[in-house]
């Protein structure tokens, strides 16, 4: 995973008084050391606030909950640590009283067969089951470690904790994401219809703007404006401009200035843009370069006003810490049933395109004039890891649903234009059957990571979305 913002976790160390207290003190030191190693900020009781900094009694639960409330704006998730059996009610009541609805991870320490005497025995194997039972009764969602009990020093727990912080980013990010819908959906693309109401019920806000406002504001700018000159410098620094005429680069820069202003004015995290055909006919260029630059800068932008497409891009970005790209499930790859061609004309982030160049869109150019499609990008994606998936609003069922999976992007030969990649996916034919049977869009999102497990946990467990994981 790429570098991401440091996480802050609330920590509850469970305790039960007829088990050895020293285990609580040891666990506290061990967790603090691990957090320092992983750059995670802890919010937890000190050993002066409660017995060894643990939580057992209702009074201690109240104290820990008050601490969590004080830091509610910072806490991304909660880690429950069970060095011994722990007090199940103390854990559940702390979370309930805190009012936090963030993800929760439950860890229990393993016993040592050589230390099963009264002064060393933990019984966290059993205690973890009791804690989970109480959280289930309270209606509190929680995540589990790969091993039922595990030492914080174990590599599997370290990976569990890293994945958990990614789950926290996805859940918390999607609950408050703001998306800009720029222009109307192209009339030929019923496939990207979506329900604003279903999204809003899940905390996802959509801000709309008419494309004429964006183009009108862009036309008011000139090549001599400081903001336009600054954008031109960024474009030249970002990519090879190829054979793109200087006046077309100015048009692209002016459009980029206005889109950036729109995002700032509305505090947007992502956009979905009416990228054809009005913009070519009425303005004279493609918006792909601007969309690519936004996506590379972690402000994902999707084609054809595909709002749930850019929502998926944002979710995968949160999971991995790296840019996402919206692609078409586009072509078979010869006679290989496990491979297909991914394509767009194209606006993929530079991370996917080491040979990126500003070009034209030949297919679109057949109807709007190739000279009006400068700004499209040309480039081939090399071999890299692949997580793919799609979030969709199913108005017929009144739900948000998703599918996710993992595969590989390959270096197989592919002679064509635009943004392109070859994907290899296990049981690809079965996946395409699922996509078609369940009414998903022809757009899918790719990310250079292996984060399907993180996305499944976030979507299904915490957000309550129907999620199919392809294997």
């Amino acid at each position: 995973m790429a570098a991401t913002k440091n996480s802050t976790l609330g920590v509850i160390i469970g305790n039960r008084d007829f088990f050895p207290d020293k285990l609580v003190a040891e666990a506290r030191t061990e967790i603090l050391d691990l957090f320092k190693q992983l750059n995670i900020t802890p919010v937890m009781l000190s050993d002066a606030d409660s017995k060894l900094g643990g939580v057992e009694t209702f009074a201690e639960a109240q104290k820990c909950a008050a601490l969590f409330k004080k830091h509610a704006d910072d806490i991304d998730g909660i880690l429950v640590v069970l060095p011994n059996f722990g007090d199940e009610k103390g854990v559940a009541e702390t979370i309930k009283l805190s009012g936090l609805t963030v993800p929760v991870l439950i860890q229990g320490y393993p016993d040592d067969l050589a230390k099963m005497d009264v002064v060393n025995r933990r019984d966290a194997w059993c205690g973890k089951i009791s804690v989970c039972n109480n959280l289930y009764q309270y209606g509190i969602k929680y995540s589990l470690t790969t091993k039922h009990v595990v030492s914080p020093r174990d590599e599997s727990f370290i990976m569990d904790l890293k994945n958990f912080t990614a789950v926290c980013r996805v859940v918390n990010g999607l609950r408050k994401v703001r998306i800009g819908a720029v222009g109307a959906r192209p009339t030929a693309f019923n496939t990207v219809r979506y329900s604003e109401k279903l999204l809003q019920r899940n905390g996802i806000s959509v801000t709309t703007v008419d494309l004429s406002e964006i183009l009108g504001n862009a036309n008011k700018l000139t090549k001599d404006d400081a903001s336009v000159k600054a954008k031109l410098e960024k474009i030249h620094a970002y990519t090879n401009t190829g054979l793109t005429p200087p006046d077309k680069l100015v048009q692209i820069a002016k459009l980029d200035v206005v889109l950036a202003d729109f995002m700032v004015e509305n505090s947007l995290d992502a956009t979905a843009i009416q990228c054809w055909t009005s913009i070519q006919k009425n303005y004279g260029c493609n918006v792909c370069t601007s969309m690519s630059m936004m996506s590379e800068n972690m402000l994902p932008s999707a084609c054809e006003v595909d709002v749930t497409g850019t929502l998926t891009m944002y979710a995968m970005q949160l999971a991995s810490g790296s840019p996402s790209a919206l692609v078409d499930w586009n072509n078979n790859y010869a006679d290989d049933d496990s491979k297909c061609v991914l394509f767009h004309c194209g606006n993929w982030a530079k991370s996917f395109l080491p040979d990126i160049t500003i070009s034209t869109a030949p297919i679109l150019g057949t109807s709007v004039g190739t000279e009006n499609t400068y700004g499209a990008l040309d480039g081939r994606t090399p071999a890299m890891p692949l997580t793919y998936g799609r979030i969709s609003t199913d108005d017929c069922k009144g739900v948000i649903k998703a599918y996710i999976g993992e595969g590989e992007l390959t270096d197989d030969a592919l002679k064509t234009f635009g943004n392109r990649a070859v994907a290899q996916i296990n049981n690809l034919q079965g996946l395409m059957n699922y996509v078609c049977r369940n009414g998903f869009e022809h757009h899918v999102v790719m990310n250079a990571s292996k984060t399907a497990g993180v996305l499944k946990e976030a979507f299904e467990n915490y957000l309550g979305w129907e999620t199919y994981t392809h294997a």
Side-chain angles (χ1 to χ4, degrees):
M1 292 182 188
T4 54
K5 179 184 78 71
N6 290 351
S7 295
T8 297
L9 298 182
V11 181
I12 303 170
I13 302 179
N15 189 24
R16 186 161 283 195
D17 62 0
F18 46 80
F19 286 87
D21 287 338
K22 67 173 184 175
L23 300 177
V24 177
E26 291 170 1
R28 192 172 189 281
T29 299
E30 200 162 29
I31 291 299
L32 285 173
D33 287 345
L34 179 59
F35 275 28
K36 185 176 181 180
Q37 173 188 328
L38 299 178
N39 292 318
I40 298 172
T41 301
V43 176
M44 59 195 300
L45 294 177
S46 71
D47 52 11
D49 294 322
S50 68
K51 186 179 181 182
L52 301 174
V55 174
E56 179 179 7
T57 67
F58 183 66
E60 289 168 344
Q62 286 179 303
K63 190 173 290 187
C64 189
L67 178 65
F68 286 0
K69 277 187 176 180
K70 182 179 177 181
H71 296 276
D73 290 341
D74 302 316
I75 293 176
D76 302 304
I78 295 172
L79 173 65
V80 176
V81 179
L82 299 174
N84 58 36
F85 191 98
D87 188 274
E88 60 209 56
K89 288 181 65 179
V91 172
E93 286 171 339
T94 298
I95 298 173
K96 179 186 176 183
L97 292 170
S98 75
L100 295 176
T101 57
V102 295
V104 178
L105 178 64
I106 315 296
Q107 178 267 348
Y109 272 78
D111 271 303
D112 185 335
L113 278 180
K115 296 181 179 180
M116 295 287 281
D117 55 332
V118 174
V119 296
N120 291 292
R121 182 168 157 160
R122 296 179 183 273
D123 287 8
W125 181 288
C126 189
K128 179 175 177 178
I129 299 171
S130 293
V131 167
C132 291
N133 175 274
N134 273 257
L135 296 182
Y136 185 89
Q137 291 184 48
Y138 279 63
I140 297 170
K141 300 291 185 182
Y142 51 89
S143 297
L144 302 173
T145 50
T146 302
K147 299 177 181 179
H148 182 63
V149 289
V150 61
S151 166
R153 297 184 302 274
D154 192 282
E155 285 300 321
S156 75
F157 177 73
I158 293 173
M159 182 55 64
D160 286 337
L161 191 56
K162 289 179 179 178
N163 286 339
F164 177 68
T165 59
V167 169
C168 292
R169 290 195 302 271
V170 175
V171 172
N172 299 329
L174 294 188
R175 282 174 172 168
K176 60 185 180 183
V177 61
R178 293 177 56 79
I179 298 172
V182 181
R185 168 184 56 80
T187 188
F189 272 55
N190 279 358
T191 185
V192 294
R193 287 173 170 175
Y194 68 97
S195 170
E196 279 193 53
K197 292 180 179 179
L198 286 176
L199 294 179
Q200 192 65 72
R201 180 61 64 92
N202 285 263
I204 301 157
S205 301
V206 179
T207 298
T208 62
V209 65
D210 195 276
L211 186 60
S212 65
E213 291 186 38
I214 298 295
L215 300 185
N217 287 333
N219 278 323
K220 292 176 184 177
L221 297 173
T222 72
K223 64 181 178 63
D224 297 319
D225 287 317
S227 59
V228 176
K229 289 181 177 179
K231 286 293 182 185
L232 274 172
E233 289 180 6
K234 288 184 178 180
I235 290 169
H236 282 288
Y238 183 73
T239 177
N240 180 351
T241 59
L243 300 176
T244 309
D247 62 319
K248 294 296 182 180
L249 291 174
V250 170
Q251 280 184 290
I252 295 168
K254 287 159 60 177
L255 193 56
D256 197 41
V257 168
V258 174
L259 287 170
D261 288 346
F262 170 67
M263 292 196 73
V264 170
E265 288 165 7
N266 292 280
S267 300
L268 301 178
D269 303 294
T271 52
I273 299 176
Q274 181 186 350
C275 58
W276 61 276
T277 56
S278 176
I279 198 165
Q280 289 79 18
K281 290 179 177 178
N282 297 302
Y283 189 70
C285 71
N286 267 36
V287 70
C288 301
T289 299
S290 295
M291 297 170 76
S292 173
M293 292 172 70
M294 287 190 285
S295 294
E296 182 70 17
N297 290 320
M298 310 300 267
L299 296 168
S301 188
C303 315
E304 289 131 11
V305 202
D306 187 354
V307 167
T308 50
T310 201
L311 177 65
T312 312
M313 293 173 70
Y314 189 65
M316 289 192 181
Q317 171 185 298
L318 290 169
S320 67
S322 64
S324 304
L326 187 79
V327 311
D328 284 349
W329 289 118
N330 213 69
N331 312 90
N332 59 291
Y333 188 80
D335 296 324
D336 193 330
D337 287 342
S338 69
K339 294 178 182 177
C340 67
V341 175
L342 306 177
F343 176 82
H344 248 163
C345 59
N347 65 340
W348 299 355
K350 186 166 69 170
S351 293
F352 295 97
L353 307 171
D355 58 344
I356 186 172
T357 302
I358 296 180
S359 185
T360 57
I363 296 176
L364 191 56
T366 61
S367 62
V368 301
T370 303
E371 71 280 4
N372 293 316
T373 66
Y374 282 102
L377 296 172
D378 185 81
R380 166 66 197 268
T381 301
M384 57 179 65
L386 171 65
T387 293
Y388 61 85
R390 174 78 205 192
I391 300 168
S392 184
T393 56
D394 190 329
D395 299 47
C396 300
K397 294 182 179 179
V399 300
I400 295 179
K401 63 184 183 182
Y403 70 88
I404 48 176
E406 294 177 351
E408 302 292 335
L409 296 175
T410 75
D411 283 328
D412 289 300
L414 181 62
K415 293 182 180 179
T416 188
F417 51 86
N419 291 173
R420 56 216 185 260
V422 176
Q424 183 166 27
I425 296 169
N426 183 51
N427 188 19
L428 177 60
Q429 303 304 309
L431 173 61
M432 291 300 98
N433 186 282
Y434 183 86
V435 167
C436 291
R437 287 284 185 192
N438 291 275
F440 279 98
E441 298 80 353
H442 70 288
H443 287 165
V444 66
V445 172
M446 67 176 184
N447 189 277
S449 67
K450 296 287 187 176
T451 50
V454 168
L455 294 164
K456 177 180 172 63
E457 182 73 1
F459 293 172
E460 196 169 65
N461 187 21
Y462 290 103
L463 298 174
W465 299 347
E466 295 180 6
T467 305
Y468 167 70
T469 304
H470 184 69

